[in-house]
């Protein structure tokens, strides 16, 4: 079978954003980000704040694994850092500083303010660099989902009611989605490590605000849950990345485990499964040689 071109994969992502297009074998896009630092034997924090290093290492990792997609961002408190929250980004994964605080009323969602974060600016610039790559990769970004962001902000003693908090989160994610879209992204994933609980309707509103911006730019907004979520919610505001064997009738993604040794077989394309990703980031210390073997095994399976 002839390899599928990057241009075709990009068009398929645009079709997914509209819940359209013919059935096809899914895009294999595991969430690989920090592991790329192994290419130059760097600590992950030294790579993620520098767009030149980030692009170089992600590009080499993609080439080595022969993947059609590349992730230029992973959930790692980058949203909080862009809001001005004190984050210790010298460790991986980053941690909120012990004395960190946040005031919703004084927060700025202006692009200039958000891009003052070196890590966030590096991811946007990396997307921009990949947008002109002659091999035409599918450029993906993985962000923190609104329920998880709400919990993170609550941990900073944010006392606003759920409606105000999720309205703010929805607007923030919409700005981030627009910045990534304008830089050249083709796929946006929102990763949740928890459910919204009683704030479900406000959570759906935040998903809808961000998702509408993504779809306006013909980018599919994919909702992905961590593996320990009990019974996930699949609202129409986002494209579900299911983990089980009961797919919805609409176009969807599938979330495999982040442990490559447990990866399965890509489906044949007879179902509405358009993307295979991972529930969380593949561990940054996962050995590259083993990762290569697992990626080759998955991609070698007949589709």
């Amino acid at each position: 079978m002839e390899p599928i071109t990057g241009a075709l994969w990009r068009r398929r992502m645009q079709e997914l954003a509209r819940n359209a297009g013919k059935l096809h074998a899914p895009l294999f896009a595991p969430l690989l980000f920090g592991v790329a630092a192994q290419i130059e034997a760097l600590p992950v924090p030294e790579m993620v704040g520098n767009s030149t290093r980030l692009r170089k290492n992600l590009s080499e990792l993609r080439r080595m694994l022969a993947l059609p997609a590349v992730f230029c961002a992973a959930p790692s408190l980058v949203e909080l850092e862009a809001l001005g929250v004190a984050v210790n980004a010298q460790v991986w994964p980053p941690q909120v500083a012990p004395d960190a605080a946040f005031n919703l009323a004084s927060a700025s969602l202006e692009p200039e303010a958000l891009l003052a974060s070196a890590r966030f600016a590096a991811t946007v610039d990396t997307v921009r660099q990949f947008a002109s790559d002659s091999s035409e990769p599918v450029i993906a970004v993985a962000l923190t989902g609104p329920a998880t962001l709400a919990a993170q902000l609550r941990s900073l003693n944010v006392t606003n009611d759920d409606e105000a908090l999720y309205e703010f989160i929805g607007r923030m994610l919409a700005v981030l989605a627009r910045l990534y879209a304008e830089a050249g992204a083709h796929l946006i994933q929102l990763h949740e490590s928890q459910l919204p609980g009683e704030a479900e309707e406000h959570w759906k509103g935040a998903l809808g605000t961000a998702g509408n911006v993504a779809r306006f730019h013909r980018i599919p907004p994919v909702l992905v849950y961590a593996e320990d979520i009990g019974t996930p919610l699949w609202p129409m505001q986002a494209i579900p990345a299911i983990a089980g064997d009961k797919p919805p009738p609409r176009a969807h993604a599938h979330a495999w485990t982040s442990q490559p040794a447990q990866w399965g077989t890509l489906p044949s394309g007879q179902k509405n499964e358009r993307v295979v990703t991972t529930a969380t980031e593949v561990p940054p210390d996962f050995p590259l040689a083993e990762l290569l073997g697992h990626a080759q095994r998955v991609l070698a399976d007949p589709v």
Side-chain angles (χ1 to χ4, degrees):
M1 179 181 294
E2 291 294 321
I4 300 173
T5 65
L8 177 56
W9 277 125
R10 289 179 173 188
R11 190 177 79 231
R12 286 175 170 178
M13 292 302 99
Q14 293 176 352
E15 292 170 344
L16 176 58
R18 298 184 290 111
N19 192 23
K22 299 178 180 179
L23 298 180
H24 59 78
L27 173 79
F28 183 47
L31 179 44
L32 301 169
F33 186 67
V35 68
Q38 293 184 47
I39 296 292
E40 291 187 309
L42 292 171
V44 179
E46 287 190 23
M47 177 186 71
V48 297
N50 182 304
S51 61
T52 300
R53 276 183 166 171
L54 188 56
R55 191 277 172 91
K56 177 182 178 182
N57 286 277
L58 289 172
S59 181
E60 180 59 24
L61 180 67
R62 173 177 172 265
R63 185 201 63 77
M64 182 180 79
L65 302 179
L67 294 175
V70 59
F71 274 93
C72 297
S76 55
L77 301 182
V78 71
E79 299 88 358
L80 295 191
E81 189 175 289
L83 290 172
V85 175
V87 171
N88 178 9
Q90 300 308 308
V91 296
W92 196 266
Q95 300 174 0
V96 175
D99 57 348
F102 182 72
N103 184 342
L104 198 71
S106 61
S108 173
L109 295 180
E110 291 298 319
E112 295 79 8
L114 298 172
L115 289 166
S117 160
R119 279 204 301 137
F120 176 55
T123 65
V124 174
D125 189 49
T126 301
V127 170
R128 188 175 295 111
Q129 291 182 43
F130 272 115
S132 60
D133 192 305
S134 61
S135 66
E136 298 183 314
V138 171
I139 304 168
V141 291
L143 299 174
T144 305
T148 308
L149 277 171
Q152 292 173 353
L153 291 172
R154 291 292 190 206
S155 72
L156 297 170
N157 298 318
V158 171
T159 58
N160 302 72
D161 61 38
D162 287 336
E163 182 177 5
L165 179 59
Y166 276 99
E167 190 272 337
F168 173 83
I169 289 172
R171 288 191 294 119
M172 179 189 66
L173 288 174
V175 174
L176 300 189
R178 178 173 64 83
L179 290 171
Y180 282 125
E182 292 174 348
H186 308 107
L187 171 66
I188 291 177
Q189 294 185 177
L190 297 168
H191 285 250
E192 294 284 31
S193 61
Q194 62 185 68
L195 294 166
E198 296 181 356
E200 180 179 337
E201 289 307 311
H202 302 308
W203 170 74
K204 289 179 180 178
L207 279 176
T209 301
N212 287 341
V213 170
R215 285 191 168 97
F216 175 80
H217 290 278
R218 299 190 294 178
I219 298 173
V222 176
L223 177 61
V224 187
Y225 288 102
E227 295 174 68
D228 57 354
I229 292 291
T231 304
L233 300 169
W234 301 119
M236 294 301 295
Q237 288 86 346
I239 295 164
I242 66 165
D245 56 0
K246 296 181 179 180
R250 56 188 168 123
H252 61 278
H254 199 106
W256 285 1
T257 173
S258 61
Q259 296 299 321
Q262 300 176 36
W263 286 349
T265 302
L266 287 178
S268 63
Q270 301 306 307
K271 298 181 180 179
N272 235 341
E273 194 167 351
R274 309 296 178 85
V275 177
V276 168
T277 185
T278 51
T280 53
E281 181 185 2
V282 171
D285 59 354
F286 194 90
L288 286 184
E290 291 184 37
L291 182 60
L292 173 61
H294 294 304
Q296 289 176 333
R297 171 177 54 82
V298 170
L299 294 171
D301 287 327
V303 295

